[in-house]
């Protein structure tokens, strides 16, 4: 086993629906994005072909060394306000995980970071109260690594994709001098992770025990299908327009999100003005518009190119449309070091 010796950068995003991969002209900025490709989960032949295309001339048996952002179903990404006086107590953070998040810390790989800038939390710094507990089961770390190696990818760094995307969004909002809070919704099969993000960082988080799998029985009932398997196939077939069923399919999810938005707005006096829906496969693209319509707020369409340019990352015109697709924002965020001292801010709006 050996790694490719080419001085290129590779970035990979994994979720339950598929894999995205990018090649850049260098592992670290400044660099240009050279390739953006993706394939569906479970298609090993397509995955292998994609990786060979991304790394032209790859030697058989070689591994692509990449920065990887993963979205395991059991990930923990929760904002929490700690008690500064107790932060130095042995076992306090473990207690928070157990009591607030129902997480067995001995079975999880965990980290605690600042909700404002993503820096590692230091209990000695009493001024930091708002933090994000993030992690995943240790068993998932092993299975993700095995999956990557099987695909010919050697993870130089393994991150939670949600954390990278949230940090990227906050940094891009700061670069654009945007003031409107954005609701970020990551819809999974069984769980939806929701966050409220501003230029100042992650302001709120909430996991919702409801995902697209819960829509299957509703599809079966509404369309009179014979069983749930038929409903599931139709839901992911990309052959039926579910926009009209949106209110029925999203009723429970919308109710929980409205509750989170209402609580945040009462607490802060700020109005959540836009929604960004990520982790959606192509057949569920309709969900974004339906969700925004039900919530009564517009879809957020970030243009990452000026932000990336400020971080010395260039996207060629041939890849610009792909890079502007919100589904790629998480992967692009993996490329950015948000603590870079030489970032160039956008001109102040007048």
């Amino acid at each position: 086993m050996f790694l490719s010796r080419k001085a290129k950068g590779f970035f990979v995003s994994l979720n339950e629906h598929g894999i995205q991969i990018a090649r850049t002209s260098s592992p670290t900025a400044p660099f240009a994005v050279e390739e953006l490709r993706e394939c569906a989960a479970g298609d090993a032949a397509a995955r292998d072909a994609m990786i060979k295309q991304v790394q032209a001339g790859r030697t058989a048996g070689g591994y692509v060394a990449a920065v990887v952002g993963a979205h395991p179903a059991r990930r923990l990404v929760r904002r929490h306000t700690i008690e500064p006086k107790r932060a130095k107590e042995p076992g306090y953070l473990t207690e928070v995980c157990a009591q607030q998040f129902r997480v067995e810390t001995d079975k999880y790989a965990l980290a605690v970071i600042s909700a404002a800038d993503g820096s590692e939390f230091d209990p000695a710094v009493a001024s930091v109260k708002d933090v994000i507990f993030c992690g995943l089961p240790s068993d998932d770390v092993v299975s993700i690594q095995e999956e990557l190696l099987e695909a010919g990818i050697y993870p130089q760094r393994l991150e939670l994709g949600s954390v990278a995307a949230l940090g990227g969004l906050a940094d891009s909002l700061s670069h654009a001098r945007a003031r409107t809070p954005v609701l970020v919704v990551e819809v999974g099969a069984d769980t939806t992770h929701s966050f409220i993000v501003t230029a100042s960082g992650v302001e709120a988080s909430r996991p919702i025990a409801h995902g697209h799998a819960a829509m299957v029985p509703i599809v079966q009932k509404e369309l009179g299908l014979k069983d749930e398997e038929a409903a599931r196939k139709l839901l992911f077939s990309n052959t039926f327009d579910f926009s009209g069923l949106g209110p029925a399919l999203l009723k429970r999810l919308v109710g929980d999100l409205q509750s989170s938005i209402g609580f945040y707005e009462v607490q802060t006096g700020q109005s959540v003005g836009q929604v960004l829906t990520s982790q959606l496969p192509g057949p569920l693209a309709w969900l974004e518009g339906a969700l925004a319509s039900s919530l009564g707020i517009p879809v957020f369409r970030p243009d990452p190119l000026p932000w990336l340019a400020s971080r010395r990352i260039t996207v060629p015109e041939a890849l610009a449309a792909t890079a502007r697709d919100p589904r790629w924002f998480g992967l692009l965020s993996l490329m950015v070091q948000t603590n870079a001292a030489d970032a160039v801010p956008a001109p102040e709006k007048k």
Side-chain angles (χ1 to χ4, degrees), residues 174-256:
S174 177
H175 171 262
R177 304 184 189 274
R179 299 179 180 179
T180 303
V182 177
L183 173 68
V184 179
V185 184
E186 297 180 343
V187 182
D190 301 308
T191 304
T192 295
H193 294 268
S194 69
F195 309 91
I196 296 175
V197 182
T198 69
S200 299
V202 179
E203 301 278 335
S205 70
R206 180 183 178 182
I208 299 170
H210 183 84
H212 54 69
M215 302 178 191
V216 173
I218 302 175
V219 170
Q220 180 192 1
K221 179 181 178 181
E222 292 289 333
L223 299 181
L225 301 175
K226 62 179 181 179
D227 54 36
E228 290 192 2
E229 183 57 30
R232 182 177 293 103
K233 289 181 178 178
L234 183 61
L235 185 62
F236 286 92
S237 67
N238 211 18
T239 59
F240 186 87
D241 183 3
F242 284 94
S243 301
L245 289 178
L249 297 177
L250 298 174
K251 182 178 180 180
R252 179 181 167 188
L253 178 59
V254 167
D256 286 335

Side-chain angles (χ1 to χ4, degrees), residues 16-221:
E16 62 187 275
H17 304 297
I19 178 171
Q20 297 173 320
I21 186 167
R23 185 185 73 231
T24 59
S25 58
S26 172
T28 57
F31 58 63
V33 179
E34 297 180 341
E35 288 276 2
L36 292 172
R37 293 183 179 271
E38 65 179 330
C39 71
D43 191 338
R47 177 200 66 198
D48 293 345
M50 176 184 70
I51 292 174
K52 289 180 180 178
Q53 289 171 343
V54 168
Q55 191 186 19
R58 175 185 173 205
T59 304
Y63 280 71
V64 176
V67 174
V68 179
H71 299 79
R74 296 185 291 174
R75 63 189 179 277
L76 172 71
V77 186
R78 296 288 299 278
R79 186 184 188 276
H80 184 74
T81 300
I82 62 171
E83 301 177 42
K85 293 182 179 179
R86 296 195 59 197
K88 298 180 183 179
E89 294 180 11
Y92 170 65
L93 298 179
T94 299
E95 177 185 312
V96 171
C97 284
Q99 294 184 359
Q100 298 293 325
F101 313 136
R102 303 294 188 266
V103 165
E104 298 179 63
T105 55
D106 59 329
K107 297 181 179 179
Y108 263 65
L110 294 164
V112 183
I113 60 177
S114 164
D117 61 15
S119 60
E120 184 176 357
F121 171 66
D122 182 356
V125 181
S127 60
V128 177
K129 298 188 298 181
D130 298 322
V131 300
I132 297 176
F133 287 79
C134 48
L136 70 165
S138 300
D139 290 346
D140 286 1
V141 175
V142 175
S143 62
I144 290 170
Q145 290 175 329
E146 290 176 346
E147 179 184 353
L148 290 166
L149 291 173
E150 181 183 347
I153 299 168
Y154 179 87
Q156 287 181 311
R157 188 171 81 239
L158 179 61
E159 301 185 15
L160 280 179
S162 298
V163 176
L166 294 171
L169 178 58
D171 191 53
S172 67
L173 292 174
S174 177
H175 171 262
R177 304 184 189 274
R179 299 179 180 179
T180 303
V182 177
L183 173 68
V184 179
V185 184
E186 297 180 343
V187 182
D190 301 308
T191 304
T192 295
H193 294 268
S194 69
F195 309 91
I196 296 175
V197 182
T198 69
S200 299
V202 179
E203 301 278 335
S205 70
R206 180 183 178 182
I208 299 170
H210 183 84
H212 54 69
M215 302 178 191
V216 173
I218 302 175
V219 170
Q220 180 192 1
K221 179 181 178 181

Side-chain angles (χ1 to χ4, degrees), residues 13 15 20 38 276-282 322 324-331:
S13 179
N15 62 43
Q20 297 173 320
E38 65 179 330
L276 172 64
T277 306
S278 61
Q279 305 303 307
L280 290 177
T322 300
R324 289 189 177 102
D325 185 328
R327 296 185 307 108
W328 288 87
F329 191 86
L331 177 67

